[in-house]
Amino acid sequence: MPEVKTKHIFVIGLDDSNLPVLEAVPDAASYQFHRLLTLQELQEGEVSVPALMEKARGVLDAHPGSIDAIVGYWDFPVSTLVPMLGREYGVRTTSLESVVKCEHKYWSRLEQRKVIDEYPRFGRVDLDSNDPKPPEGVNFPLWLKPALAYSSELAYGVSDMKEFREAVDQIRAGIGRVGRPFDTVLDLLELPSEMEDVGGQLCLAEEAMTGIQVAVEGYVHEGKATVYGVLDSINYPASPCFLRHQYPSTLPPTVIRKLHAVSERTMEQIGMNEATFSIEYFYDPQTQDISLLEINPRHSQSHAELFDYVDGVPNHHRMICLALGRDPSLPGGKGPYAMAAKWYYRWFGDGKVHEVPSPERIAAIQREIPGVRIDVMPGEGQKLSTMSGQDSYSYEVAHIVTGGDDEEDLRRKFDRCVAALGLSFDETEPGGRGTKTK
């Protein structure tokens, strides 16, 4: 029997929680995964894309074997580093332009309106103006957001001019941290006339969308877009913050078919190829309308275990297949559970966290409650506001994945996990961080 050649796969921002998931994909015995840059280097402070490229080249050039794939599952700058490095080292990725068309929220809207009608009214906000105003035709309530941000950072829901001006002040103060590095990436592209002088430090206003949030996962292979999963995104009550993502979706089949069609048409227009994507929508049960919220030009690593629980294979498998030039299609429903959910245990005020359980205690909880996986985010005594990558309204203190027979089973396991974790908080600032609706 011929010896199987090991494929060397470099993962930008490979973290300890995703390594076991990657090692669980089919054919993993023939893969060797290599960490390429740390999350701290990629996400903390104001990143320098040229410096990150230089560090990555140093690792790749020092590698004695083959470089068979370069992949990543995080937002900017990882999403843009993948095609930039892929082009230099001759491995399969989508184009840098297709990624930026998704990441840049304004450019993404311009592309969407060429092929679909399912998006909100939107426009640019002049941050340099002494008296900034909402774009003409874009009405309250609305959302203000930078062209690019991490995890909804600097995204604000506003209902009047007072809140609008306060949000503009916050965005002005913070937009450069990600916007300046994003400008260096935009400079590498030949931009269309509609994007000239727009830049990466743009503020976008969009009319608020209402309804049920939905996430669509898919890929583009040989120029054809395919949706392989639809998930329900359930928020905390009266809040824009996710409580859980749940797979598979419970929406009517007609709505799911429409989500497939709109997603596939949009991604083919953008020109993505040999890559995965994740798109967020709102669905209004009263009107049956859907509205596209945003496109992530990568697969969602946070959903990997949901697909593993229900379909029997984590979605990382599709990312790897595409990077190696293989067909990423898989049958569904081969996992041990009928449904799965990823829960976001959040705290809505600043404070220090205490009684963080040890890894041994977390492992014991996972043994006691079948079908759960737990990842606690802060360390013992950490002030929540020092955590990076948080949204404007809450702090994520734990991610809890549950698999079960139905929604009630998923919720029961989540509640048991929260009680078993026993986290406590010293409130240093009373009250929450806001409760807006997208």
Side-chain angles (χ1 to χ4, degrees), residues 12-15 17-18 36-49 52 55 72-79 81 103 148-153 174 176-179 181 298 301 377 386-390 396 399:
I12 304 178
L14 176 60
D15 54 322
S17 62
N18 271 287
L36 187 57
L37 305 176
T38 67
L39 283 178
Q40 288 73 26
E41 290 173 317
L42 290 159
Q43 295 182 349
E44 292 186 358
E46 183 171 325
V47 302
S48 166
V49 173
L52 290 172
K55 285 184 181 180
Y73 38 72
W74 302 104
D75 292 322
F76 181 85
V78 174
S79 56
L81 291 173
E103 290 276 28
L148 177 70
Y150 298 131
S151 303
S152 299
E153 184 180 345
R177 184 176 81 86
V178 177
R298 52 164 178 76
Q301 55 85 21
M377 315 307 288
T386 65
M387 297 170 62
S388 62
Q390 302 300 302
E396 297 176 11
H399 296 162

Side-chain angles (χ1 to χ4, degrees), residues 82-379:
V82 168
M84 292 167 70
L85 290 168
R87 182 175 180 179
E88 286 190 22
Y89 287 87
V91 297
R92 183 185 299 260
T93 70
T94 192
S95 68
L96 176 62
E97 180 177 322
S98 68
V99 169
V100 176
K101 281 182 179 179
C102 299
E103 290 276 28
H104 196 293
K105 291 180 171 57
Y106 181 69
W107 196 357
S108 182
R109 291 297 188 206
L110 298 181
E111 289 297 306
Q112 292 164 37
R113 73 181 184 186
K114 294 175 183 177
V115 291
I116 65 171
D117 299 317
E118 291 82 3
Y119 57 86
R121 284 192 284 265
F122 68 95
R124 297 160 58 179
V125 175
D126 184 1
L127 293 179
D128 295 326
S129 170
N130 292 326
D131 185 24
K133 293 182 172 58
E136 186 176 351
V138 180
N139 303 310
F140 292 113
L142 54 83
W143 273 80
L144 291 180
K145 56 189 74 174
L148 177 70
Y150 298 131
S151 303
S152 299
E153 184 180 345
L154 294 180
Y156 297 97
V158 299
S159 56
D160 55 36
M161 282 302 299
K162 179 177 180 295
E163 292 181 351
F164 177 89
R165 293 190 181 100
E166 290 172 350
V168 166
D169 289 342
Q170 293 291 325
I171 292 171
R172 272 186 187 137
I175 196 170
R177 184 176 81 86
V178 177
R180 281 187 291 269
F182 197 28
D183 275 328
T184 67
V185 174
L186 289 169
D187 288 342
L188 300 174
L189 300 173
E190 187 175 335
L191 299 173
S193 57
E194 60 195 352
M195 282 295 293
E196 288 181 1
D197 302 320
V198 171
Q201 298 184 61
L202 171 139
C203 178
L204 182 69
E206 299 180 342
E207 286 192 3
M209 293 168 272
T210 59
I212 299 168
Q213 282 193 257
V214 190
V216 171
E217 296 230 0
Y219 59 84
V220 187
H221 179 50
E222 296 181 347
K224 177 174 173 52
T226 300
V227 169
Y228 64 79
V230 179
L231 305 88
D232 295 330
S233 301
I234 295 97
N235 288 356
Y236 278 81
S239 168
C241 304
F242 290 131
L243 171 60
R244 71 182 186 273
H245 290 102
Q246 183 172 296
Y247 177 68
S249 172
T250 57
L251 292 178
T254 54
V255 177
I256 290 177
R257 285 195 293 271
K258 186 175 183 181
L259 289 164
H260 279 233
V262 171
S263 300
E264 290 163 3
R265 193 158 63 245
T266 300
M267 297 315 295
E268 289 175 11
Q269 164 64 29
I270 283 171
M272 179 166 277
N273 199 22
E274 306 308 329
T276 54
F277 62 84
S278 176
I279 308 179
E280 296 178 35
Y281 289 89
F282 276 86
Y283 163 64
D284 189 330
Q286 294 184 330
T287 64
Q288 304 288 298
D289 291 335
I290 63 170
S291 190
L292 195 155
L293 175 59
E294 65 181 21
I295 305 171
N296 298 305
R298 52 164 178 76
H299 87 277
S300 178
Q301 55 85 21
S302 66
H303 298 161
E305 291 163 317
L306 307 189
F307 288 97
D308 193 16
Y309 274 2
V310 176
D311 293 335
V313 179
N315 63 353
H316 288 358
H317 176 63
R318 290 187 168 89
M319 174 186 71
I320 294 167
C321 283
L322 290 162
L324 294 174
R326 300 171 181 171
D327 186 345
S329 60
L330 282 170
K334 302 296 184 181
Y337 298 102
M339 303 185 78
K342 179 174 182 178
W343 301 79
Y344 297 83
Y345 177 22
R346 299 179 185 270
W347 198 252
F348 287 84
D350 196 6
K352 289 183 179 178
V353 63
H354 297 288
E355 300 180 69
V356 173
S358 65
E360 293 75 18
R361 175 56 186 149
I362 291 173
I365 296 170
Q366 292 175 159
R367 288 193 299 269
E368 292 163 7
I369 309 172
V372 306
R373 297 175 191 173
I374 301 167
D375 187 14
V376 176
M377 315 307 288

